[in-house]
Amino acid sequence: MFAGKSNHIHPCEVVGLAIVHQYAFALRHGAWRLAATWMSLLMVAMLITLASKLAFIGWGVGYAPLDFTGVSGHAMMAGAVVPLALVSVWPTRSWQARRGVAGIGLVLALLVGISRVVVGAHSWSEVLAGCLLGIMVTAIVVSRYGLPQARPSRSPLAAWCLPVVCLIGLSAVLAASSSFSSHTRITRLPLALAGHALPYTRADMARDFKRRSTTGARAGS
């Protein structure tokens, strides 16, 4: 979990993705309620993900048997963003075609989660939790509004001004990514609240679990 800066949710990345996909949803005329619902659910999922990480860093809230230290933010974002965003920008006319595109988006989201395990950033349990949380966001939006259909917006504001905003947002993401330390920002708060000098780590969890297992075995013998 603490192998490197890329293992954490980058707030600027979240803002950039939110801006881009808010516009993608707005490409469908009358989809502003869909976009607002999606953004609200995404914020809730982000808070759950962040809370799980803070709880582990500050108080050691995890589950050693499953090597769980918190919800994978990358897997959650992929599950919540990729399927709907892909459908909203892929020009399709039929429900079957949009459903197929959404399926492709789900596969891509799962591949993102698998990649987090491959690079050693997360365990399978953390990726599974992230994927389920993100896909739940997608499922709620689809159940309420259906799959969005991409077509040109009638609003000049959406057609001309929002792409500029998207460009500015993405530029801000790229500019900030080289200097912003999400690791420091994320760990500072729980450490201050818990009164600890160092963050709780995956190695600490494994050590404490082994110690408890050994103590329990001795007590039972």
Side-chain angles (χ1 to χ4, degrees), residues 180-191:
F180 187 90
S181 177
S182 59
H183 173 82
T184 301
R185 299 295 179 89
I186 288 178
T187 58
R188 187 177 300 168
L189 177 61
L191 291 181

Side-chain angles (χ1 to χ4, degrees), residues 23-49:
Y23 173 66
F25 283 128
L27 287 176
R28 178 191 180 196
H29 180 67
W32 295 104
R33 288 185 179 180
L34 184 152
T37 301
W38 175 82
M39 287 289 290
S40 300
L41 292 172
L42 180 60
M43 289 298 295
V44 172
M46 287 168 53
L47 289 175
I48 294 174
T49 299

Side-chain angles (χ1 to χ4, degrees), residues 8-205:
H8 299 281
I9 299 176
H10 199 308
C12 291
E13 292 175 355
V14 174
V15 172
L17 284 171
I19 292 174
V20 171
H21 295 298
Q22 180 83 353
Y23 173 66
F25 283 128
L27 287 176
R28 178 191 180 196
H29 180 67
W32 295 104
R33 288 185 179 180
L34 184 152
T37 301
W38 175 82
M39 287 289 290
S40 300
L41 292 172
L42 180 60
M43 289 298 295
V44 172
M46 287 168 53
L47 289 175
I48 294 174
T49 299
L50 181 59
S52 70
K53 294 178 181 293
L54 297 183
F56 180 78
I57 293 171
W59 295 272
V61 179
Y63 191 62
L66 292 180
D67 196 18
F68 182 82
T69 67
V71 178
S72 168
H74 288 77
M76 183 278 293
M77 288 291 291
V81 171
V82 175
L84 286 175
L86 194 61
V87 172
S88 66
V89 298
W90 197 308
T92 56
R93 293 185 177 273
S94 67
W95 165 261
Q96 290 80 3
R98 292 199 299 277
R99 187 168 57 182
V101 173
I104 295 174
L106 286 175
V107 172
L108 292 176
L110 293 176
L111 289 177
V112 170
I114 293 173
S115 72
R116 303 304 292 165
V117 177
V118 172
V119 300
H122 285 290
S123 66
W124 283 109
S125 62
E126 294 161 356
V127 166
L128 180 60
C131 287
L132 290 177
L133 182 58
I135 292 174
M136 187 180 301
V137 171
T138 296
I140 293 175
V141 174
V142 172
S143 66
R144 184 175 179 83
Y145 297 100
L147 291 171
Q149 182 176 0
R151 60 174 180 257
S153 174
R154 299 175 184 176
S155 170
L157 178 64
W160 298 102
C161 295
L162 288 182
V164 176
V165 175
C166 292
L167 180 61
I168 295 174
L170 289 176
S171 299
V173 171
L174 294 176
S177 61
S178 61
S179 59
F180 187 90
S181 177
S182 59
H183 173 82
T184 301
R185 299 295 179 89
I186 288 178
T187 58
R188 187 177 300 168
L189 177 61
L191 291 181
L193 293 176
H196 298 158
L198 297 174
Y200 197 75
T201 67
R202 195 183 299 275
D204 294 332
M205 180 178 68

